[in-house]
Amino acid sequence: MIFETAHTGPVLVIAPHPDDEVLGVGGTIARLTEKGREVHVCIATRGRAERFGRDQVETVKAEAAAAHDILGIHQTHWLDHAAAELDTEPHGALNRSLADLVGRIGAQVLFLPHPGDIHLDHQLVFLSAMVASRPAQQEYPEAIYVYETLSETNWNAPYLTPPFTPNTFVDIGDTLQTKLDAFAAFASQVRASPAERSIDALRALATLRGATVHRKAAEGFVAVRQCY
Amino acid sequence: MIFETAHTGPVLVIAPHPDDEVLGVGGTIARLTEKGREVHVCIATRGRAERFGRDQVETVKAEAAAAHDILGIHQTHWLDHAAAELDTEPHGALNRSLADLVGRIGAQVLFLPHPGDIHLDHQLVFLSAMVASRPAQQEYPEAIYVYETLSETNWNAPYLTPPFTPNTFVDIGDTLQTKLDAFAAFASQVRASPAERSIDALRALATLRGATVHRKAAEGFVAVRQCY
Amino acid sequence: MIFETAHTGPVLVIAPHPDDEVLGVGGTIARLTEKGREVHVCIATRGRAERFGRDQVETVKAEAAAAHDILGIHQTHWLDHAAAELDTEPHGALNRSLADLVGRIGAQVLFLPHPGDIHLDHQLVFLSAMVASRPAQQEYPEAIYVYETLSETNWNAPYLTPPFTPNTFVDIGDTLQTKLDAFAAFASQVRASPAERSIDALRALATLRGATVHRKAAEGFVAVRQCY
Amino acid sequence: MIFETAHTGPVLVIAPHPDDEVLGVGGTIARLTEKGREVHVCIATRGRAERFGRDQVETVKAEAAAAHDILGIHQTHWLDHAAAELDTEPHGALNRSLADLVGRIGAQVLFLPHPGDIHLDHQLVFLSAMVASRPAQQEYPEAIYVYETLSETNWNAPYLTPPFTPNTFVDIGDTLQTKLDAFAAFASQVRASPAERSIDALRALATLRGATVHRKAAEGFVAVRQCY
Amino acid sequence: MIFETAHTGPVLVIAPHPDDEVLGVGGTIARLTEKGREVHVCIATRGRAERFGRDQVETVKAEAAAAHDILGIHQTHWLDHAAAELDTEPHGALNRSLADLVGRIGAQVLFLPHPGDIHLDHQLVFLSAMVASRPAQQEYPEAIYVYETLSETNWNAPYLTPPFTPNTFVDIGDTLQTKLDAFAAFASQVRASPAERSIDALRALATLRGATVHRKAAEGFVAVRQCY
Amino acid sequence: MIFETAHTGPVLVIAPHPDDEVLGVGGTIARLTEKGREVHVCIATRGRAERFGRDQVETVKAEAAAAHDILGIHQTHWLDHAAAELDTEPHGALNRSLADLVGRIGAQVLFLPHPGDIHLDHQLVFLSAMVASRPAQQEYPEAIYVYETLSETNWNAPYLTPPFTPNTFVDIGDTLQTKLDAFAAFASQVRASPAERSIDALRALATLRGATVHRKAAEGFVAVRQCY
């Protein structure tokens, strides 16, 4: 924004499940790390072996490591809550682990999943992250943005659940390829066109968000709180 | 919908200015006319010569003729209200000319610009078309959809003006190229990438709307009224 | 809609509790089954004997059978989740049983309770049904509508919870009486006027929804997703 | 509300056109006047003879007189702005004539048309009445409610224009018949069923609004401002 | 409102945690009790000793007693659900204890926390209180208002969670000091400026809400349901 | 935001009428100009002598000059459209004069009145400024914020007109006094407490917006578009 010295501290991208951080923020992350910014990723859940199979759980973890390496992530934090079962844990448990992480790394900028996403895990992670960031004292995350996730954000109920209409655009013309490479590293998660989780859909979204602000490619976000 | 014999009568696409009908509904129009449906286009305004230049006005009209020919339009109706000056005419005048047209062709399905578009002409055309379609008697347009227009719909104020979140998708995998050809016929209106009025942006939008419903390409609409 | 061969496959009406399907969709169901369409009803929950009494549980089940017979339902599916206690089950459990049902009968058209209903069961059934219908592959329910339930939809908080404003109307002038008969079959659920669960209120709602589109009686729905 | 001595001063019902005040507030007016309250009606516009015909204009005026007599209206104020042409007058003109009226009669309670009504006159009257009631000094209308108008409120665009979801209900079980009589006095405006402007529709709406709060009949309003 | 004999029965203020009732409704309570009205406070939760420490739990309870004494509360009802863990209890349990209380004291006017507050306890208490107040029979709370809570209401996500925009204002010019005294009685909860839970912030909010309606101080509410 | 070199160009605050820029942005302007930023103010309208009196018009202009001097404004631009009569001018005229100004000074950051303000001039200025800032080419205002105006923003219709819920806060702890001094310079516009246009109300608003983000004073804005 207008005060150029603001929000230069650590950035934290919170993903309910591995690859959400790439789908929503990959190009922006790459641009930030290229400038030397410290970017953390928090994966809120991990697939339970009994549900997803031990192999898949390990595979996804390795894919995330590769993707985060491509993006230049400073550190990845696995919270190990139960994937697709967040609603069975006490809300307070997620609040506490996120608050602990936010405080430990001194996160100044947050990127969160959208509360209107169709996946209940996304909704719960959003709310807990907001609780973890309450401005109840002098220090707290001063900038909070919500990102969109293909295969989640567009699949909820139009006009009956909160809409995603971006008011913040980051030019990723120079880092789109890095984003696509990072997503490709999640080989077990990429789907063939015309699925929403395809490279084609991801590229189309970047082109559209870019065109809206006359750029070759962009990521769109909703600003939730910015303090200067 | 579920009653297969419904809404098989004349279709009317109302465009505030020439090319809106192609940007928003081009692929759907092509699919309808291929099936032999009677599709009309109404261009609500015409650029005044003193403002836009006589040449440009004539150029756009010829381009529209070419584009509509590509799409198989049954008839194009030019209402000749003043482009970009609709707010200076009495609201009732536009109401009357649209009501007259709707009645004359017995339109059963309408496609309208979005009331949240940034262009005041779009907002006024939407409202007047709704007035012209009131179910005050036995016969009226039984299906009304709102389309999105690149360079209008995405440029208004997120969360402060009505959002466009499509709840109706038409597969245009087989007619996307026809749509792009029709848009290309508006040579004076097409812009180079990364403008929103570019072929690239139009293709990206179609790919994204398609991916949302697992199709190669689609157009998205908001259903405003459907009667069965 | 405009493509007459669309959405002619199996119809599935999902009711959180028995009689919701009649209150919200009874007249439309009757019209569909009269045309020979295959209509399924899913009752997501069953009253636990210890809470509602064994007799009442059996009574309601018999009433549902009678009502569904009147409406010409193809098959009734009892999922047997715990009524009024859905929030105590894992969200994933309901997701799975609904996804299993949707897939097994190949449901193409869904009718769901409204996410703004005051009953938490309604909200949870809506979300799980949306999850069960994600367009993540070629086949999925192509048409999804939300219905209104007297004694639920009007009792939540105006402007603070999602509103029900119908954009889809089905003429039930010829089937209103069948709907009222089916509701009357739920003798244990019908209340005397002026309760919302009364025959008088149901008739008034049908008259009002009809008048809005100049028909003697109608049911109103919100279109959530339609793919053509 | 909770402070029983509040809002006992003059009541002003502002109608864009004659009969709106009956459709929206007729039963409440009757209940108020029966208790001896001073109720004024303001008709913001009058049909121009050249547009509506001198006879019709006179007819409607006589009908209004009869209807207001039935309802026990204290005084009817005709502002004589141009019906269906309010948008062609300066906004300030309507502001001034409404502010003048509000001040002259010392209106303490206002009933206004809904800003989401499809008729632009309704939208403009609402905004001007709000301007006329700004709390810029010690005295101003302390209670403002919005009413619904059959054939206007339900005909705008769901989810794209402001919804009418009543949060205030007035029991009109004892005055519904008076309301219907007053509406019948507008013989030139009543339509046969199934039109929205029919006695049947009016009665259905009253029954539905009543059932929502377990009363035989009610009128629903949206509270816009209440000061105690 | 306009019917002066309405809503003169018992008033019930439901607070998720002790002091919410003072932050949101303190000045209005004082004004009501001064007039001899019977005002009850329900504290929905109590801090568990193992989580908050036995001393703090006892301290807060004593503070509440002092505060309620200052406000002239008729009776305080401790429901003893688990603070900050409401989501781990069955929704039905809270429904039942609130419904029981509402019925037992014959509450006619309710003040509830806002469903858009960031604290999940607030959201759950709101929903359960609405369920407990359903107009399913002749008697039920006829007036329901939502209050705002500093340190909760302003900390959720703008435009993505339900907004608090007051439509009901109560002049607390004469009772603001009593409210501040009552809040000061919660010595363990008051924070120093510039925290939202500070006396300064509370005073600023009262001044702002007052200025909006040209009064020295006011509390703002959202009317959710009013029946006359 | 996160890219510290962004949005360091000229700032333009657009006020429908003189003093709106101080009420909404005064503290932020002072903070910006103290850092040497180039801040312009555009006053969209001027009171017509025949309506407001020549003296008052001159007085306000002199007051604005004094206020802008206090704030360190780089340049004040008077567009001289007709105050309180903007709706009587063609929409295109205001579009053009704003687009011309935005282009001439190369404005990179805009502050606009809120589209939900009760004054139609505010709504029209907002829309025209958005049109003037369309990203139809490489250069355009990359950051757009909406400010709140006491005596306008809080006086429209809750839940029926667009809400102002700030997502962007600027700490004005060090410039609040400058803001109040600048407002005091508008001697003809300041009102005594408890009016919304009073120094007390302005101070209360700053305290409340500050407390929300744990600062002594702040101004709140809604981010409408930010490009990085």
Side-chain angles (χ1 to χ4, degrees):
Chain A
M1 192 236 194
I2 50 177
F3 296 102
E4 57 263 39
T5 56
H7 309 162
T8 57
V11 176
L12 174 61
V13 180
I14 302 183
H17 316 101
D19 89 356
D20 291 332
E21 74 284 11
V22 179
L23 288 168
V25 201
T28 300
I29 291 173
R31 210 177 130 192
L32 286 166
T33 57
E34 279 181 11
K35 288 183 185 300
R37 294 287 293 276
E38 180 183 326
V39 179
H40 297 252
V41 167
C42 162
I43 309 292
T45 68
R46 184 152 48 163
R48 291 287 181 255
E50 54 269 33
R51 181 160 176 189
F52 295 94
R54 176 173 303 280
D55 283 359
Q56 192 194 332
V57 171
E58 288 308 310
T59 296
V60 170
K61 199 157 183 189
E63 291 172 347
H68 293 182
D69 196 54
I70 291 170
L71 295 177
I73 296 298
H74 182 79
Q75 192 175 353
T76 303
H77 308 264
W78 294 82
L79 295 191
D80 285 334
H81 293 274
E85 298 174 22
L86 267 184
D87 63 300
T88 65
E89 293 187 21
H91 176 59
L94 184 57
N95 291 357
R96 280 188 293 273
S97 60
L98 286 176
D100 175 66
L101 177 63
V102 163
R104 210 166 61 230
I105 67 179
Q108 195 178 49
V109 179
L110 291 191
F111 287 91
L112 307 181
H114 188 250
D117 285 357
I118 196 176
H119 202 308
L120 190 52
D121 282 1
H122 285 231
Q123 301 173 24
L124 293 170
V125 165
F126 172 79
L127 180 56
S128 285
M130 289 298 291
V131 171
S133 309
R134 284 174 301 180
Q137 60 296 313
Q138 178 68 17
E139 303 290 332
Y140 53 83
E142 293 188 356
I144 302 179
Y145 302 93
V146 157
Y147 58 83
E148 61 185 320
T149 307
L150 286 175
S151 80
E152 303 289 357
T153 308
N154 293 328
W155 287 354
N156 217 332
Y159 302 107
L160 301 179
T161 55
F164 182 91
T165 315
N167 56 25
T168 303
F169 297 82
V170 174
D171 184 339
I172 61 165
D174 292 340
T175 57
L176 173 58
Q177 191 53 52
T178 306
K179 172 180 184 163
L180 297 179
D181 292 347
F183 183 53
F186 281 100
S188 72
Q189 304 300 308
V190 178
R191 296 289 172 271
S193 177
E196 266 221 333
R197 301 180 73 82
S198 66
I199 297 286
D200 280 1
L202 207 47
R203 193 189 301 272
L205 179 63
T207 301
L208 179 67
R209 293 300 180 220
T212 296
V213 292
H214 211 270
R215 300 292 179 257
K216 280 214 174 299
E219 281 171 343
F221 304 101
V222 178
V224 168
R225 185 174 72 212
Q226 304 175 118
C227 306
Y228 294 94
Chain B
M1 191 233 195
I2 49 176
F3 297 101
E4 56 264 39
T5 56
H7 309 162
T8 56
V11 176
L12 174 62
V13 180
I14 302 183
H17 316 101
D19 88 356
D20 291 331
E21 74 284 12
V22 178
L23 289 167
V25 201
T28 300
I29 292 174
R31 208 176 133 193
L32 286 165
T33 57
E34 280 182 9
K35 288 182 185 303
R37 294 287 294 277
E38 180 183 326
V39 179
H40 297 252
V41 167
C42 162
I43 309 292
T45 68
R46 185 152 48 164
R48 292 285 181 257
E50 54 270 32
R51 182 160 176 190
F52 295 93
R54 177 173 302 278
D55 283 0
Q56 192 195 331
V57 171
E58 290 306 311
T59 297
V60 169
K61 199 157 182 189
E63 292 172 346
H68 294 182
D69 196 54
I70 291 170
L71 295 176
I73 296 298
H74 182 80
Q75 191 175 353
T76 303
H77 308 264
W78 294 83
L79 294 191
D80 285 335
H81 293 275
E85 298 174 21
L86 266 184
D87 63 299
T88 64
E89 292 187 23
H91 176 59
L94 184 58
N95 291 356
R96 281 186 294 273
S97 61
L98 285 175
D100 176 65
L101 177 62
V102 163
R104 210 166 60 233
I105 67 178
Q108 195 180 49
V109 179
L110 291 191
F111 287 91
L112 306 181
H114 188 250
D117 285 357
I118 196 175
H119 202 307
L120 189 51
D121 282 2
H122 286 230
Q123 301 173 25
L124 294 170
V125 165
F126 172 79
L127 180 55
S128 285
M130 290 298 290
V131 170
S133 308
R134 284 175 301 181
Q137 60 296 312
Q138 178 68 18
E139 303 290 332
Y140 53 83
E142 294 189 354
I144 303 180
Y145 302 93
V146 157
Y147 58 82
E148 61 186 320
T149 309
L150 286 176
S151 79
E152 302 290 355
T153 308
N154 293 328
W155 288 354
N156 217 333
Y159 301 107
L160 301 179
T161 55
F164 181 91
T165 315
N167 56 24
T168 303
F169 297 82
V170 174
D171 185 339
I172 62 165
D174 292 339
T175 57
L176 173 58
Q177 192 53 52
T178 306
K179 172 180 184 162
L180 297 178
D181 292 346
F183 184 51
F186 281 100
S188 73
Q189 303 300 308
V190 178
R191 297 290 171 269
S193 178
E196 266 220 331
R197 302 179 73 81
S198 65
I199 297 286
D200 280 1
L202 207 48
R203 194 189 301 271
L205 179 62
T207 301
L208 180 66
R209 293 301 181 218
T212 296
V213 292
H214 211 270
R215 300 290 178 258
K216 280 216 174 297
E219 281 171 344
F221 305 101
V222 178
V224 168
R225 185 173 72 212
Q226 304 176 117
C227 307
Y228 293 94
Chain C
M1 190 236 194
I2 50 175
F3 297 101
E4 57 263 40
T5 56
H7 309 162
T8 57
V11 175
L12 174 60
V13 180
I14 302 182
H17 316 101
D19 90 356
D20 292 330
E21 75 283 11
V22 178
L23 288 167
V25 201
T28 300
I29 291 173
R31 209 178 131 192
L32 286 165
T33 57
E34 281 182 10
K35 287 182 186 302
R37 293 287 294 276
E38 180 184 326
V39 179
H40 297 251
V41 167
C42 162
I43 309 293
T45 68
R46 184 153 48 165
R48 291 285 181 257
E50 55 269 33
R51 182 159 175 189
F52 295 93
R54 176 173 303 278
D55 283 359
Q56 192 195 332
V57 171
E58 289 308 311
T59 296
V60 170
K61 199 156 182 190
E63 292 172 345
H68 294 183
D69 197 53
I70 291 170
L71 295 176
I73 296 298
H74 182 80
Q75 191 176 353
T76 303
H77 307 264
W78 295 83
L79 295 192
D80 285 334
H81 293 274
E85 298 174 21
L86 266 184
D87 63 300
T88 65
E89 293 187 22
H91 176 58
L94 184 57
N95 291 357
R96 280 187 293 273
S97 61
L98 287 175
D100 176 65
L101 177 62
V102 163
R104 209 166 60 234
I105 67 178
Q108 195 179 49
V109 179
L110 292 190
F111 288 91
L112 307 181
H114 188 250
D117 285 358
I118 196 175
H119 203 307
L120 189 51
D121 283 1
H122 285 230
Q123 301 173 25
L124 293 170
V125 165
F126 172 79
L127 180 56
S128 285
M130 289 299 290
V131 170
S133 308
R134 284 175 301 180
Q137 61 296 312
Q138 178 67 18
E139 303 290 333
Y140 53 83
E142 293 189 354
I144 302 179
Y145 303 93
V146 157
Y147 58 82
E148 62 185 320
T149 308
L150 286 175
S151 80
E152 303 289 356
T153 307
N154 293 328
W155 287 353
N156 217 332
Y159 301 107
L160 301 179
T161 55
F164 183 90
T165 316
N167 56 26
T168 303
F169 298 82
V170 174
D171 185 339
I172 61 165
D174 292 340
T175 57
L176 173 57
Q177 192 53 52
T178 307
K179 172 181 183 162
L180 297 178
D181 291 347
F183 183 53
F186 281 99
S188 73
Q189 304 300 309
V190 177
R191 297 287 172 272
S193 178
E196 266 221 332
R197 301 181 74 81
S198 66
I199 297 286
D200 280 0
L202 207 48
R203 194 189 301 272
L205 179 62
T207 302
L208 179 67
R209 294 300 181 218
T212 297
V213 292
H214 212 271
R215 300 290 179 259
K216 279 217 175 297
E219 281 171 343
F221 304 100
V222 178
V224 168
R225 184 172 73 213
Q226 303 176 117
C227 306
Y228 296 93
Chain D
M1 190 233 196
I2 50 177
F3 296 101
E4 57 263 36
T5 56
H7 310 162
T8 56
V11 176
L12 173 61
V13 180
I14 302 183
H17 316 101
D19 88 357
D20 292 331
E21 74 284 11
V22 179
L23 289 168
V25 201
T28 299
I29 292 173
R31 209 177 131 192
L32 286 165
T33 58
E34 280 181 11
K35 288 183 185 300
R37 294 286 294 275
E38 179 183 327
V39 179
H40 297 251
V41 168
C42 162
I43 309 291
T45 68
R46 184 152 49 163
R48 291 287 181 254
E50 55 270 33
R51 181 159 176 188
F52 295 93
R54 176 172 303 279
D55 282 0
Q56 191 195 332
V57 171
E58 288 308 311
T59 297
V60 170
K61 198 156 182 189
E63 292 172 346
H68 295 183
D69 196 54
I70 292 170
L71 295 176
I73 296 297
H74 182 80
Q75 191 175 354
T76 304
H77 308 263
W78 295 83
L79 295 192
D80 284 335
H81 293 274
E85 299 174 21
L86 267 184
D87 63 299
T88 65
E89 293 187 22
H91 176 59
L94 184 57
N95 291 356
R96 280 187 294 273
S97 61
L98 286 175
D100 176 66
L101 177 62
V102 163
R104 209 166 61 232
I105 68 180
Q108 195 179 50
V109 179
L110 291 191
F111 288 91
L112 307 181
H114 188 250
D117 284 358
I118 197 175
H119 202 308
L120 189 51
D121 282 1
H122 285 230
Q123 301 172 24
L124 294 170
V125 165
F126 172 80
L127 180 55
S128 285
M130 290 297 291
V131 171
S133 308
R134 285 174 300 180
Q137 60 295 313
Q138 178 68 18
E139 303 290 332
Y140 52 84
E142 294 188 354
I144 302 179
Y145 302 93
V146 157
Y147 58 81
E148 61 186 320
T149 309
L150 286 175
S151 80
E152 303 290 356
T153 307
N154 293 329
W155 287 354
N156 217 332
Y159 302 107
L160 301 179
T161 55
F164 182 91
T165 315
N167 55 26
T168 303
F169 298 81
V170 174
D171 184 339
I172 61 166
D174 292 340
T175 56
L176 173 58
Q177 192 52 53
T178 307
K179 172 181 183 161
L180 297 178
D181 291 348
F183 183 53
F186 282 99
S188 73
Q189 304 299 309
V190 178
R191 297 289 172 270
S193 177
E196 267 220 334
R197 301 180 74 82
S198 66
I199 296 286
D200 280 1
L202 208 47
R203 192 189 303 270
L205 179 63
T207 302
L208 179 67
R209 294 299 180 220
T212 297
V213 292
H214 211 270
R215 300 290 179 259
K216 280 214 175 298
E219 280 171 343
F221 304 100
V222 178
V224 168
R225 185 173 72 212
Q226 302 176 118
C227 306
Y228 294 93
Chain E
M1 191 234 196
I2 51 178
F3 296 101
E4 57 264 38
T5 57
H7 309 162
T8 56
V11 175
L12 173 61
V13 180
I14 303 182
H17 316 102
D19 89 358
D20 291 331
E21 73 284 11
V22 179
L23 289 167
V25 201
T28 300
I29 291 173
R31 208 176 133 195
L32 286 166
T33 57
E34 282 181 10
K35 288 182 184 303
R37 295 285 294 275
E38 179 183 327
V39 179
H40 297 252
V41 167
C42 162
I43 310 292
T45 69
R46 183 152 49 163
R48 291 285 181 257
E50 55 270 34
R51 181 160 176 187
F52 295 94
R54 176 173 303 279
D55 282 0
Q56 193 195 331
V57 171
E58 289 307 312
T59 297
V60 170
K61 199 156 181 189
E63 292 172 345
H68 294 182
D69 196 53
I70 292 170
L71 295 176
I73 296 297
H74 182 79
Q75 191 175 354
T76 303
H77 309 264
W78 295 82
L79 295 191
D80 284 334
H81 292 275
E85 299 173 22
L86 267 184
D87 63 300
T88 65
E89 293 187 21
H91 176 58
L94 185 57
N95 291 355
R96 279 186 295 272
S97 62
L98 287 175
D100 177 65
L101 177 62
V102 164
R104 210 167 59 233
I105 67 179
Q108 194 178 52
V109 179
L110 292 190
F111 287 91
L112 307 181
H114 188 250
D117 285 357
I118 196 175
H119 203 308
L120 189 52
D121 282 1
H122 286 230
Q123 301 173 26
L124 294 170
V125 165
F126 172 79
L127 180 55
S128 285
M130 290 298 290
V131 170
S133 308
R134 285 174 301 180
Q137 61 295 312
Q138 178 67 19
E139 302 291 332
Y140 52 83
E142 293 189 353
I144 302 179
Y145 303 93
V146 157
Y147 57 82
E148 61 186 319
T149 309
L150 285 176
S151 79
E152 303 290 355
T153 307
N154 294 328
W155 287 353
N156 217 331
Y159 301 107
L160 301 179
T161 55
F164 182 91
T165 315
N167 56 25
T168 303
F169 298 81
V170 174
D171 184 340
I172 62 166
D174 292 340
T175 56
L176 173 58
Q177 192 53 53
T178 307
K179 172 181 184 162
L180 297 178
D181 292 346
F183 183 53
F186 282 100
S188 72
Q189 304 299 309
V190 177
R191 298 288 172 271
S193 178
E196 266 220 334
R197 302 180 73 82
S198 65
I199 296 286
D200 280 1
L202 208 47
R203 193 188 301 271
L205 179 63
T207 302
L208 179 66
R209 294 299 180 221
T212 297
V213 292
H214 211 272
R215 299 290 179 259
K216 281 216 175 297
E219 280 171 342
F221 304 100
V222 178
V224 168
R225 185 173 71 211
Q226 303 176 117
C227 306
Y228 295 93
Chain F
M1 190 233 196
I2 50 177
F3 296 102
E4 57 264 37
T5 56
H7 309 161
T8 56
V11 176
L12 174 62
V13 180
I14 302 182
H17 316 101
D19 89 357
D20 292 330
E21 74 284 12
V22 178
L23 289 167
V25 201
T28 299
I29 291 173
R31 209 177 131 193
L32 286 165
T33 57
E34 281 181 10
K35 287 183 185 303
R37 293 287 293 275
E38 180 183 326
V39 179
H40 297 252
V41 167
C42 162
I43 310 293
T45 68
R46 184 151 49 164
R48 291 285 181 258
E50 55 269 33
R51 181 161 176 187
F52 295 94
R54 176 173 305 278
D55 283 0
Q56 193 195 333
V57 171
E58 289 308 311
T59 297
V60 170
K61 198 157 182 189
E63 292 172 346
H68 293 183
D69 197 53
I70 291 169
L71 295 176
I73 296 298
H74 182 79
Q75 192 175 353
T76 304
H77 308 264
W78 295 82
L79 294 192
D80 285 335
H81 293 274
E85 298 175 22
L86 267 185
D87 64 300
T88 64
E89 293 187 21
H91 176 58
L94 184 57
N95 291 357
R96 279 187 294 273
S97 61
L98 286 175
D100 176 65
L101 178 62
V102 164
R104 209 167 60 233
I105 68 178
Q108 195 178 50
V109 179
L110 292 190
F111 287 92
L112 306 182
H114 188 249
D117 285 358
I118 196 175
H119 203 307
L120 189 52
D121 283 1
H122 285 230
Q123 301 173 25
L124 294 170
V125 165
F126 172 80
L127 179 55
S128 284
M130 289 299 289
V131 170
S133 308
R134 284 175 300 181
Q137 61 296 311
Q138 178 67 20
E139 303 290 333
Y140 53 83
E142 293 188 353
I144 302 179
Y145 302 94
V146 157
Y147 58 83
E148 62 186 319
T149 308
L150 286 175
S151 80
E152 303 289 357
T153 307
N154 293 329
W155 287 354
N156 217 332
Y159 301 106
L160 301 180
T161 56
F164 182 90
T165 315
N167 55 26
T168 302
F169 298 82
V170 174
D171 184 339
I172 62 165
D174 292 340
T175 57
L176 173 58
Q177 193 52 52
T178 307
K179 172 181 183 161
L180 297 178
D181 292 347
F183 183 53
F186 281 99
S188 73
Q189 303 300 309
V190 178
R191 296 288 172 271
S193 178
E196 266 220 333
R197 302 180 73 82
S198 66
I199 296 286
D200 281 0
L202 207 47
R203 193 188 302 272
L205 179 62
T207 302
L208 179 66
R209 294 299 181 221
T212 297
V213 292
H214 211 271
R215 300 290 179 258
K216 280 216 175 297
E219 281 171 342
F221 304 100
V222 178
V224 168
R225 185 172 73 212
Q226 303 175 117
C227 306
Y228 295 94

